């Protein structure tokens, strides 16, 4: 007889748990035969093993055999055993959408898949995940993304044919920025011109930083001194880029008035005052004015031939820019003017006498005074008293000791002799007899002043108060 024949009662296969995995199994149940059995899943040629369980199997076709331990009587399972991977998903399409702005994180990737088994899991970070159940990825920044798909059972990951690249919109490039400073201090006529390229479409421009306002013109005018941040962005308001450094618009250099030296006119009414100005800083040589910002202006820092008055000192650059005013007005003044308080004349004491006097009292002015009773031409003396004066008209003047500012007394001073008597008649009467001494002379006089005195012996007298004299 043949040895007893084994009987294979069942074969239980388990597919690999994942595509490409080698963890499939085949379990064989056999009886009859003799003793323990030997098992093969590669056909009658083996190899053979004493265990009925085969593990670590890759997908494939397996021929199940069993034989006696002796080893005799190999028998074949009715059909080959087929181990298979789970169903493989298929990525039909991948639709990327770039971020709407440079630096924005609002890009998207949408994945369309079929086949496989059940719902899917999706990754844009490669096979290592993270994975999500939604086929849409949002809030994505610029970068490279590896699209993967796998079954809901986390099996059979498949990769999209190419890496997905999300990109910012084209970035503008600022080629140059040309600033022009205001033409004068305090003027608001500075300009900034911007040249940009690359990017997309036309551009929008700002000199106030990335914030509003923006304009479509590359030229900015009417600008005051200050710091400006130059930015350019696409016409779609995307991808703002900044110029490397802030643009500084400045006034022209400002002159500095170091000193103003005034010299008053040397005499009252004279126009020989001077103003000398010292300035530095600024730009180039200077222009000078003592009539305010309106001028006239001159290139000399010295002003001469000036009358008393108020002068506004200004200095500006040679380019007629940046006028600056001295801290205070300059006052040119005459020397202090003497004031004649009183003039006291005393007439000569007798007709024809030269002993009249004039006494002058003056104040104000400067220092002691000089006095004249002969008009402004003098002669002048330092004494306020004039003596030995004959009758006549005198013009009283006073001036400072520096011979400045002569002032005249309000009226001419008149020195006069005492009033002169007038003899209107002389009536003589001869003596009545020879040798008699009873002749008379009667004198009639008027004018003069007060009562008179009379003499018939000449100016030497004797004199009497009676107008009738006996001879």
């Amino acid at each position: 007889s043949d040895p007893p024949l084994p009987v294979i009662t069942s074969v239980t296969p388990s597919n690999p748990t994942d595509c490409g995995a080698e963890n499939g199994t085949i379990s064989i149940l056999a009886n009859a035969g003799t003793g323990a059995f030997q098992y093969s899943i590669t056909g009658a040629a083996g190899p053979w093993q004493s265990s009925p369980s085969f593990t670590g199997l890759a997908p494939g076709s397996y021929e199940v055999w069993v034989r006696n331990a002796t080893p005799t009587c190999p028998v074949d399972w009715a059909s080959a055993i087929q181990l298979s991977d789970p169903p493989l998903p298929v990525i039909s399409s991948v639709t990327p959408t770039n971020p709407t702005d440079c630096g924005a994180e609002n890009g998207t990737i949408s994945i369309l898949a079929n086949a496989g088994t059940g719902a899917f899991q999706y990754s844009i970070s490669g096979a290592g995940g993270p994975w999500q159940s939604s086929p849409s990825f949002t809030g994505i920044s610029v970068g490279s993304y590896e699209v993967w798909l796998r079954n809901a059972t986390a099996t059979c990951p498949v990769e999209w044919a190419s890496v997905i690249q999300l990109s910012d919109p084209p970035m503008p490039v600022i080629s140059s920025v040309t600033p022009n400073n205001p033409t004068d201090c305090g003027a608001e006529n500075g300009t900034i011109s911007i040249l940009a390229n690359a990017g997309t479409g036309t551009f929008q421009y700002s000199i106030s930083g990335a914030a509003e306002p923006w304009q479509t013109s590359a030229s900015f005018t009417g600008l005051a001194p200050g710091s400006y941040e130059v930015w350019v962005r696409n016409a779609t308001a995307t991808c703002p880029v900044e110029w490397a450094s802030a643009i500084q618009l400045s006034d022209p250099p400002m002159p500095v008035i170091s000193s103003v030296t005034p010299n008053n006119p040397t005499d009252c009414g004279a126009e020989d005052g001077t103003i000398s100005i010292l300035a530095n800083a600024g730009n180039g040589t200077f222009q000078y004015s003592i009539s305010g910002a309106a001028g006239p202006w001159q290139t000399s820092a010295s002003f001469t031939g000036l009358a008393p008055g108020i002068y506004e000192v200004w200095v500006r650059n040679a380019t007629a820019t940046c006028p600056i005013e001295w801290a205070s007005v300059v006052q040119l003044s005459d020397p202090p003017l003497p004031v004649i308080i009183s003039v006291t004349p005393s007439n000569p004491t007798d007709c024809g006498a030269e002993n009249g006097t004039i006494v002058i009292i003056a104040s104000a002015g400067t220092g002691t005074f000089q006095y004249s009773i002969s008009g402004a031409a003098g002669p002048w003396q330092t004494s306020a008293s004039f003596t030995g004066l004959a009758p006549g008209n005198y013009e009283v003047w006073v001036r400072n000791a520096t011979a400045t500012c002569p002032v005249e007394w309000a009226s001419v001073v008149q020195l006069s002799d005492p009033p002169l008597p007038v003899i209107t008649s002389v009536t003589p009467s001869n003596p009545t007899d020879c040798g008699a001494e009873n002749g008379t002379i009667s004198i009639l006089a008027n004018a003069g002043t007060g009562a008179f005195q009379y003499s018939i012996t000449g100016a030497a007298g004797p004199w009497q108060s009676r107008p009738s004299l006996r001879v």
Side-chain angles (χ1 to χ4, degrees):
S1 300
D2 283 329
L5 195 65
V7 176
I8 302 172
T9 57
S10 67
V11 176
T12 305
S14 292
N15 289 317
T17 58
D18 199 358
C19 295
E22 294 187 357
N23 62 351
T25 63
I26 297 176
S27 296
I28 306 166
L29 183 60
N31 56 27
T34 180
F37 299 114
Q38 293 179 339
Y39 304 88
S40 170
I41 56 172
T42 54
W48 295 85
Q49 66 180 38
S50 58
S51 171
S53 296
F54 291 83
T55 60
L57 303 180
S61 183
Y62 295 90
E63 295 180 24
V64 175
W65 287 72
V66 177
R67 68 183 182 187
N68 293 319
T70 48
T72 58
C73 302
V75 295
D76 184 18
W77 180 242
S79 59
I81 300 299
Q82 186 69 42
L83 294 187
S84 303
D85 280 334
L88 194 63
V90 175
I91 302 174
S92 303
S93 66
V94 176
T95 304
T97 302
N98 289 318
T100 58
D101 199 359
C102 296
E105 296 186 356
N106 62 351
T108 64
I109 295 175
S110 296
I111 305 167
L112 183 61
N114 54 34
T117 179
F120 299 113
Q121 294 179 340
Y122 306 85
S123 169
I124 56 172
S125 304
W131 296 84
Q132 66 179 40
S133 58
S134 171
S136 296
F137 292 82
T138 59
I140 303 173
S141 60
V142 171
S144 296
Y145 295 90
E146 297 179 21
V147 175
W148 284 73
L149 173 69
R150 68 184 183 185
N151 294 318
T153 54
T155 59
C156 301
V158 294
E159 184 179 11
W160 182 241
S162 59
V163 172
I164 299 299
Q165 184 70 44
L166 293 189
S167 304
D168 279 333
M171 181 83 78
V173 175
I174 303 175
S175 304
S176 65
V177 176
T178 305
N180 288 298
N181 289 319
T183 57
D184 200 358
C185 295
E188 295 188 358
N189 62 351
T191 64
I192 294 176
S193 298
I194 306 166
L195 181 61
N197 52 31
T200 178
T202 56
F203 299 114
Q204 295 177 340
Y205 305 85
S206 169
I207 56 172
S208 305
E212 300 294 339
W214 293 83
Q215 66 180 42
T216 56
S217 172
S219 296
F220 292 82
T221 59
L223 303 180
S227 184
Y228 296 89
E229 295 180 24
V230 174
W231 286 71
V232 176
R233 67 185 184 186
N234 294 320
T236 53
T238 59
C239 301
V241 294
E242 183 180 11
W243 182 240
S245 58
I247 299 299
Q248 186 69 45
L249 295 187
S250 305
D251 280 332
M254 180 80 78
V256 174
I257 303 175
S258 305
S259 65
V260 175
T261 305
N263 288 298
N264 289 317
T266 56
D267 200 356
C268 295
E271 294 187 357
D272 61 350
T274 65
I275 294 177
S276 297
I277 305 167
L278 181 61
N280 53 30
N283 184 23
T285 55
F286 300 114
Q287 295 178 342
Y288 306 85
S289 168
I290 56 172
S291 305
W297 296 84
Q298 66 180 42
T299 56
S300 171
S302 295
F303 293 81
T304 59
L306 303 179
I310 294 175
Y311 296 88
E312 295 180 24
V313 174
W314 286 72
V315 177
R316 68 185 184 185
N317 293 321
T319 52
T321 59
C322 303
I324 184 171
E325 184 179 12
W326 182 239
S328 58
V329 296
V330 175
Q331 178 77 48
L332 293 188
S333 304
D334 281 333
L337 196 66
V339 175
I340 303 175
I341 298 174
S342 66
V343 175
T344 305
S346 293
N347 289 317
T349 57
D350 198 359
C351 294
E354 294 186 358
N355 63 350
T357 63
I358 294 176
V359 178
I360 305 165
I361 297 177
S363 64
T366 178
T368 56
F369 299 115
Q370 294 178 343
Y371 305 87
S372 168
I373 56 173
S374 304
W380 296 84
Q381 66 180 41
T382 56
S383 172
S385 295
F386 291 83
T387 59
L389 303 180
N393 292 328
Y394 295 89
E395 294 180 24
V396 175
W397 287 71
V398 177
R399 69 183 184 186
N400 294 320
T402 52
T404 59
C405 301
V407 294
E408 185 179 13
W409 181 240
S411 59
V412 173
V413 175
Q414 178 77 45
L415 292 188
S416 303
D417 281 335
L420 194 66
V422 176
I423 303 174
T424 56
S425 65
V426 175
T427 304
S429 291
N430 291 318
T432 57
D433 197 3
C434 294
E437 293 183 356
N438 61 353
T440 62
I441 297 175
S442 297
I443 305 165
L444 184 60
N446 57 24
T449 179
F452 298 117
Q453 292 178 338
Y454 305 89
S455 171
I456 56 172
T457 53
W463 294 82
Q464 66 178 36
S465 58
R466 293 173 54 246
S468 295
L469 294 94
R470 295 187 65 184
V471 178

